[in-house]
């Protein structure tokens, strides 16, 4: 994002590439505290997202936090914010772009759409599917307008909306 490479391994604080083979901690002072670890990093509509975080030594596995537009280290001003996805007790495991203005967040047992709506709170989150999700971020393969997903009980294709196509 903005010529900045951001990575996470779920163990250390999210890192940014500073050049010459060097990494440094990404500054993540949020309205809710400071992120010490993150399981998922994702960019969408010029915002950086960190999901399934540990904040102030407290696990927040259902939290989605995003930066101000175009600012990889601005987590408190402008359009920055967060949302807890509490539709079920499963954790966020990955995310993938579905269309120009919609991404999908995969939890262990649910599928949540994230749609750009604009304004100060620029995203709307809506649970689309309950009862299945993804095993991990590596279990989601993104194609044009469709995701192939390996879930805990089945393999399926997801094209948006409230239905999934079960694959043999």
């Amino acid at each position: 994002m903005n010529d900045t490479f951001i990575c996470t391994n779920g163990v250390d604080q999210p890192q940014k590439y500073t050049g010459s083979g060097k990494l440094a901690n990404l500054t993540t002072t949020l309205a809710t505290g400071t992120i010490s670890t993150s399981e998922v990093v994702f960019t969408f509509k010029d915002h950086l997202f960190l999901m399934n975080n540990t904040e102030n030594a407290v696990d927040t596995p259902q939290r989605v936090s995003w930066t101000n537009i175009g600012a990889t280290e601005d987590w408190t001003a402008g359009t920055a914010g967060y949302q807890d996805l509490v539709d079920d007790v499963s954790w966020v495991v990955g995310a993938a772009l579905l269309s120009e203005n919609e991404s999908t967040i995969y939890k262990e047992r649910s599928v949540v759409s994230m749609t750009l709506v604009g304004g100060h709170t620029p995203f709307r989150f809506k649970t689309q599917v309950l009862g299945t999700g993804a095993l991990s971020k590596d279990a989601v393969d993104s194609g044009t307008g469709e995701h192939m997903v390996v879930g805990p009980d089945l393999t399926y294709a997801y094209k948006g909306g409230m239905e999934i196509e079960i694959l043999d």
Side-chain angles (χ1 to χ4, degrees):
M1 181 176 150
N2 294 342
D3 298 325
T4 303
F5 179 75
I6 307 294
C7 58
T8 184
N9 63 8
V11 177
D12 301 305
Q13 184 169 345
Q15 304 284 302
K16 65 179 177 178
Y17 180 69
T18 60
S20 303
K22 304 285 184 193
L23 292 174
N25 286 345
L26 177 68
T27 303
T28 54
T29 302
L30 311 174
T32 57
T34 300
I35 292 177
S36 55
T37 65
S38 184
E39 295 288 330
V40 179
V41 63
F42 184 67
T43 57
F44 177 53
K45 292 308 216 181
D46 207 23
H47 293 266
L48 176 66
F49 289 81
L50 296 176
M51 304 178 204
N52 190 342
N53 306 317
T54 300
E55 299 175 10
N56 300 330
V58 176
D59 288 335
T60 56
Q62 298 178 333
R63 182 159 294 161
V64 175
S65 299
W66 62 89
T67 62
N68 193 11
I69 191 165
T72 57
E73 300 199 48
D74 183 354
W75 297 88
T76 59
T79 56
Y82 72 95
Q83 178 74 40
D84 290 329
L85 306 178
V86 294
D87 52 2
D88 64 7
V89 294
S90 67
W91 296 10
V92 173
V93 295
L97 185 66
L98 190 62
S99 67
E100 181 181 351
N101 292 317
E102 184 177 359
S103 290
T104 305
I105 297 172
Y106 290 94
K107 295 175 63 183
E108 296 167 313
R109 289 182 294 280
S110 64
V111 177
V112 179
S113 70
M114 177 173 60
T115 307
L116 176 71
V117 293
H120 183 69
T121 305
F123 304 101
R124 180 181 65 229
F125 299 87
K126 182 177 180 188
T127 301
Q128 299 288 17
V129 178
L130 278 172
T132 194
L135 290 175
S136 73
K137 62 182 175 265
D138 298 324
V140 179
D141 188 18
S142 182
T144 303
E146 180 176 40
H147 301 151
M148 306 304 268
V149 182
V150 177
D153 299 319
L154 52 91
T155 300
Y156 61 95
Y158 182 71
K159 298 178 184 177
M162 299 179 73
E163 296 190 21
I164 59 172
E165 177 186 350
I166 299 172
L167 305 175
D168 290 334

